[in-house]
Amino acid sequence: MKITLKDGSVKEYANSVSVYDVAADLSEGLARMACAGEVDGQVVDLRTVLEQDCRLNILTAGDKEGLQVVRHTASHVLAEAVKRLYPDAKMAIGPSIENGFYYDFESTPFSREDLDKLEGEMKKIIKEGKKLEKFTLPREEAIRLMEERGEPYKVELIRDLPQDAVISFYQQGEFIDLCAGPHLMSTKNIKAFKLISSSGAYWRGNSDNAMLQRIYGTAFNKKEELAAYLEHLEDIKKRDHNKLGREMELFTTVDVIGQGLPLLMPKGAKIIQTLQRWIEDEEEKRGYIRTRTPLMAKSDLYKISGHWDHYKEGMFVLGDEEKDKEVFALRPMTCPFQYYVYKASQKSYRDLPLRYGETSTLFRNEDSGEMHGLTRVRQFTISEGHLIVRPDQMVKEFKDCLALAKYCLDTLGVSEDVTYRLSKWDPNNKEKYVGTAEVWEETQGHIRQILTELEVPFTEEEGEAAFYGPKVDIQARNVYGKEDTMITIQWDAVLAEQFDMYYVDEHGEKVRPYIIHRTSMGCYERTLAWLIEKYAGKFPTWLCPEQVRILPISEKYMDYAHQVEAKLRENGILCTLDSRSEKIGYKIRETRLAKVPYMLVVGQKEEEEGLVSVRSRFAGDEGQKTLDEFIEAISKEIRTKEIRKEEVTEEVKKQ
């Protein structure tokens, strides 16, 4: 038997050997560090026996896949600790995830104090150095084992497995868990771990199921790596928009108003207003015309569009079809409304393309467990647009939509933080979609070709398309690593038929147009959340709700401070005047904490010579300037939407 190793060398064995045996044969040190093996591209246990020629890579915690095995074993150690301290808890699932692991339990909620106790118990289990042993059972014996151990969720999982599935378990001492693996050879190989938090989670992600308690943790091969990650988590907490946005008084939520219905406070509303005006002006430059359409419509409209059949569960429905003559629904999108704007008059081929834009407030009935801060809400506003085009115009217009999205991302300074995804239909679930397989394959092919021509790196994902067409989703991750769609551009070759939309071509014939559904920047609330986390609240000056704060050294210079304020306001600069009788050092510290880009300190010399002493977030003390000089510089920074970088000075570091 020939085993080809990662470096291309070949080991030959007369008899079958385990992955661990090969590691030990190569070196004792490698065997101690080994976590798993990769056999012909598949990650397997070190216990796996090799019986034929293959390619083998020995994985350690230095490999991503090896570290996942460490974390998976840590989740089993957590489960054993929970069963020791809380015997009545029922186990659900406990996988490794990108940054660690979690385990779900039917239990009362876990406090931070509970997690600390569980950490102590886990350390005992690791110190005991129990071997993990794998075994398999026939289906009925497996079910009986889990029933005897009082684990109903494990029984459900076994019953749902395919009839031909191999049902495997891992045992460490008295503890047994249903699991496919792979796992470490022993608990003692877990070197550094930490339980991070606990929260509620529905069984199998379905809100109709029981609410379980999920414990999140992480594990690393070295204590130094764990310490660095925990420091990273502290930075994340500081950037979390749900925390920082409230501290900065950008938004708030109120129980009596409802979950997923945030209140934008004056500062947050100002940022949204700035973004909205910018986007509307930019779209107008690019040939978009504005519409303003109702926030609700009769169910008849959504039945024509297909949303009633494909999306009703996600809508807020007003009325009962069995009792009421007319049933309405708050709109989850604007497209069918804009189609009727198009249909209000006959269109010629010369009229196309028509680019309709609308700042649209939409409503979607999100599950309570899905909502978070500003990123997932029930009412939100988007930079929505629908382009009605001739088929021969479709590719160019689609490229132009991508160019507009790229411009928006570049201006906001986030273009390096996104990924592009071609979201396709699922051919194995055709009832979810409208249109033929041929149309779907053709339109997906067009988008693929466009992205390839533009040299945009992208992935493809089945089942993520809209029910009427494929799309490009521009994705970004929040500080916790969760991915959200920020901008979407959709190719629609079918809804014009359903709405009887047409234009008259050069031969006098009626022809169906194509439609592009798109956002230029996406959801304003979600974008605000993204920018809070991106800049840790230190927004580019053009976006700041307070761009300058004027700080008079004492009451004597208040008149001059008011003159400075008036001149700044005349030039459209958002400023405030701190007129409190506090010491100047205190005012400066408070302004820094408020993340205001510029502060202008004014005293006797400034008043006598018409100057301002400039301090900024970017370079600290920038010295004295004439007021006109400062206004010219900041006005240019705002007008060009410059993203000024912080200079690394001792004063800036202190900020």
Side-chain angles (χ1 to χ4, degrees):
M1 177 176 57
K2 294 181 179 180
I3 298 176
T4 304
L5 303 175
K6 185 179 180 180
D7 63 2
S9 61
V10 177
K11 297 285 290 184
E12 294 192 29
Y13 296 93
N15 301 308
S16 58
V17 290
S18 70
V19 173
Y20 179 81
D21 291 335
V22 176
D25 190 23
L26 293 171
S27 82
E28 290 184 12
L30 180 60
R32 285 195 300 272
M33 295 170 60
C35 297
E38 187 178 36
V39 178
D40 293 333
Q42 181 179 0
V43 179
V44 301
D45 245 43
L46 290 173
R47 305 162 189 78
T48 301
V49 175
L50 307 175
E51 297 180 323
Q52 61 186 23
D53 294 354
C54 63
R55 300 187 68 85
L56 173 64
N57 180 20
I58 306 297
L59 300 172
T60 70
D63 300 299
K64 178 182 176 181
E65 298 84 354
L67 186 56
Q68 286 178 330
V69 173
V70 173
R71 290 168 171 171
H72 194 181
T73 303
S75 78
H76 278 223
V77 172
L78 166 61
E80 182 177 0
V82 168
K83 295 297 287 187
R84 283 186 180 186
L85 298 183
Y86 308 95
D88 293 335
K90 307 300 181 187
M91 300 188 300
I93 58 172
S96 64
I97 53 178
E98 184 174 357
N99 292 313
F101 60 89
Y102 69 79
Y103 212 113
D104 289 346
F105 303 91
E106 182 188 288
S107 171
T108 55
F110 296 99
S111 65
R112 181 66 249 181
E113 185 180 44
D114 294 329
L115 299 188
D116 292 340
K117 291 178 182 177
L118 287 168
E119 281 184 6
E121 197 63 32
M122 288 175 69
K123 288 175 182 176
K124 292 179 185 177
I125 295 168
I126 291 168
K127 189 174 182 181
E128 290 166 7
K130 296 177 181 179
K131 289 184 178 180
L132 280 85
E133 298 177 323
K134 183 178 182 179
F135 64 92
T136 61
L137 288 175
R139 179 179 298 270
E140 293 308 315
E141 289 185 35
I143 290 172
R144 188 161 55 250
L145 174 64
M146 288 294 100
E147 286 178 337
E148 290 171 353
R149 298 179 76 89
E151 300 293 353
Y153 296 99
K154 300 296 183 181
V155 171
E156 182 178 330
L157 289 171
I158 295 170
R159 293 190 189 280
D160 288 348
L161 289 171
Q163 287 297 318
D164 59 350
V166 175
I167 302 172
S168 60
F169 297 84
Y170 279 81
Q171 181 168 0
Q172 53 201 53
E174 297 299 315
F175 177 79
I176 298 174
D177 199 356
L178 172 73
C179 189
H183 281 287
L184 299 174
M185 301 288 280
S186 168
T187 60
K188 70 179 180 182
N189 292 329
I190 300 172
K191 306 297 183 185
F193 74 94
K194 181 70 178 176
L195 298 184
I196 305 297
S197 63
S198 178
S199 64
Y202 290 114
W203 170 232
R204 293 187 155 181
N206 187 335
S207 59
D208 293 332
N209 292 338
M211 174 66 79
L212 305 179
Q213 300 303 314
R214 176 171 295 177
I215 297 177
Y216 286 98
T218 192
F220 288 88
N221 190 44
K222 297 177 181 177
K223 291 181 179 178
E224 296 81 4
E225 294 171 346
L226 175 61
Y229 179 72
L230 295 178
E231 185 177 337
H232 169 65
L233 286 186
E234 287 303 310
D235 180 60
I236 282 174
K237 290 177 184 177
K238 293 175 185 176
R239 290 176 177 268
D240 182 354
H241 87 274
N242 207 17
K243 177 176 181 290
L244 184 55
R246 295 171 195 271
E247 291 173 353
M248 294 182 67
E249 297 184 347
L250 299 176
F251 76 96
T252 189
T253 52
V254 182
D255 286 344
V256 295
I257 291 175
Q259 191 178 12
L261 299 170
L263 301 175
L264 287 172
M265 299 176 75
K267 292 178 183 178
K270 186 62 184 177
I271 296 174
I272 295 293
Q273 182 190 56
T274 301
L275 288 169
Q276 181 179 325
R277 287 175 173 175
W278 164 55
I279 290 296
E280 289 179 352
D281 289 347
E282 188 59 39
E283 289 181 343
E284 190 168 331
K285 291 177 190 174
R286 297 172 186 243
Y288 283 79
I289 50 180
R290 311 301 301 171
T291 64
R292 185 178 177 88
T293 55
L295 299 180
M296 66 176 75
K298 295 195 298 184
S299 59
D300 306 53
L301 179 72
Y302 304 115
K303 289 174 182 175
I304 295 171
S305 69
H307 288 92
W308 201 254
D309 292 332
H310 295 276
Y311 199 75
K312 184 181 176 184
E313 294 303 312
M315 297 166 65
F316 287 103
V317 177
L318 309 176
D320 187 323
E321 287 188 286
E322 295 182 2
K323 298 178 182 177
D324 301 316
K325 290 182 179 180
E326 292 184 329
V327 174
F328 288 79
L330 298 178
R331 66 180 185 187
M333 79 305 294
T334 309
C335 38
F337 297 85
Q338 290 188 333
Y339 298 162
Y340 280 98
V341 172
Y342 176 85
K343 283 167 60 69
S345 63
Q346 182 169 288
K347 303 296 188 297
S348 159
Y349 70 97
R350 294 188 182 92
D351 297 319
L352 304 186
L354 274 172
R355 307 180 187 98
Y356 293 122
E358 183 165 339
T359 302
S360 305
T361 297
L362 306 178
F363 305 85
R364 295 184 184 173
N365 191 9
E366 301 282 1
D367 288 338
S368 59
E370 291 292 317
M371 287 180 289
H372 175 70
L374 297 176
T375 58
R376 187 69 65 136
V377 292
R378 285 176 168 154
Q379 176 184 309
F380 55 95
T381 302
I382 68 172
S383 55
E384 192 167 18
H386 296 89
L387 290 77
I388 318 299
V389 306
R390 303 192 310 260
D392 64 288
Q393 298 169 327
M394 188 68 166
V395 169
K396 178 187 181 301
E397 292 296 322
F398 202 95
K399 287 180 178 179
D400 287 347
C401 289
L402 280 166
L404 174 56
K406 179 68 163 55
Y407 163 77
C408 293
L409 295 170
D410 287 341
T411 303
L412 293 172
V414 294
S415 56
E416 299 301 316
D417 303 329
V418 301
T419 57
Y420 291 75
R421 182 180 74 193
L422 168 51
S423 296
K424 305 187 296 185
W425 79 321
D426 179 359
N428 297 315
N429 203 0
K430 294 180 181 178
E431 67 277 4
K432 284 177 56 180
Y433 308 93
V434 294
T436 65
E438 290 75 20
V439 169
W440 278 95
E441 293 304 321
E442 179 185 350
T443 52
Q444 288 171 179
H446 284 309
I447 296 178
R448 187 182 295 111
Q449 180 65 27
I450 288 170
L451 292 171
T452 302
E453 286 180 10
L454 295 176
E455 298 183 346
V456 176
F458 67 97
T459 59
E460 299 190 19
E461 192 74 34
E462 282 191 355
E464 293 295 330
F467 69 83
Y468 48 79
K471 55 181 176 167
V472 173
D473 284 326
I474 301 178
Q475 307 287 108
R477 293 182 181 273
N478 66 16
V479 289
Y480 294 103
K482 184 181 181 300
E483 192 172 74
D484 288 306
T485 299
M486 307 308 296
I487 297 173
T488 185
I489 304 167
Q490 304 170 3
W491 184 301
D492 176 4
V494 299
L495 287 186
E497 177 80 27
Q498 291 181 225
F499 281 87
D500 191 26
M501 297 167 66
Y502 66 88
Y503 64 92
V504 178
D505 70 9
E506 60 269 37
H507 305 296
E509 301 293 328
K510 291 183 177 180
V511 181
R512 298 293 182 201
Y514 281 179
I515 303 167
I516 299 173
H517 309 239
R518 49 98 274 179
T519 55
S520 49
M521 191 190 62
C523 168
Y524 285 99
E525 290 84 355
R526 185 174 288 180
T527 298
L528 176 56
W530 189 16
L531 294 173
I532 292 170
E533 295 184 350
K534 166 73 175 181
Y535 293 107
K538 296 181 180 181
F539 304 108
T541 302
W542 72 276
L543 274 177
C544 285
E546 182 185 6
Q547 295 161 339
V548 179
R549 187 174 294 183
I550 305 156
L551 309 178
I553 290 176
S554 72
E555 181 72 25
K556 290 189 297 182
Y557 310 107
M558 195 61 66
D559 287 344
Y560 180 60
H562 279 298
Q563 292 174 30
V564 171
E565 179 188 23
K567 191 74 176 290
L568 291 172
R569 290 186 183 278
E570 284 175 14
N571 285 272
I573 297 163
L574 302 175
C575 62
T576 58
L577 194 160
D578 188 341
S579 59
R580 297 173 300 166
S581 57
E582 300 283 357
K583 291 184 178 179
I584 191 65
Y586 178 81
K587 291 182 179 182
I588 289 172
R589 284 192 298 275
E590 282 220 326
T591 307
R592 285 174 177 167
L593 290 173
K595 308 182 193 315
V596 179
Y598 293 95
M599 59 186 97
L600 302 183
V601 180
V602 294
Q604 181 179 351
K605 184 177 181 181
E606 287 79 14
E607 182 176 32
E608 290 174 351
E609 301 181 20
L611 303 173
V612 288
S613 290
V614 182
R615 291 172 174 265
S616 75
R617 267 191 350 225
F618 315 104
D621 189 348
E622 296 192 12
Q624 291 181 326
K625 300 178 182 180
T626 67
L627 181 55
D628 288 341
E629 184 183 359
F630 173 75
I631 288 174
E632 182 181 355
I634 191 174
S635 295
K636 181 182 178 183
E637 183 182 337
I638 293 167
R639 184 177 65 255
T640 61
K641 299 178 176 57
E642 178 186 353
I643 300 176
R644 191 175 173 191
K645 304 294 184 185
E646 289 187 0
E647 299 171 20
V648 184
T649 66
E650 288 304 314
E651 186 172 358
V652 168
K653 284 180 182 178
K654 290 176 184 177
Q655 294 177 29

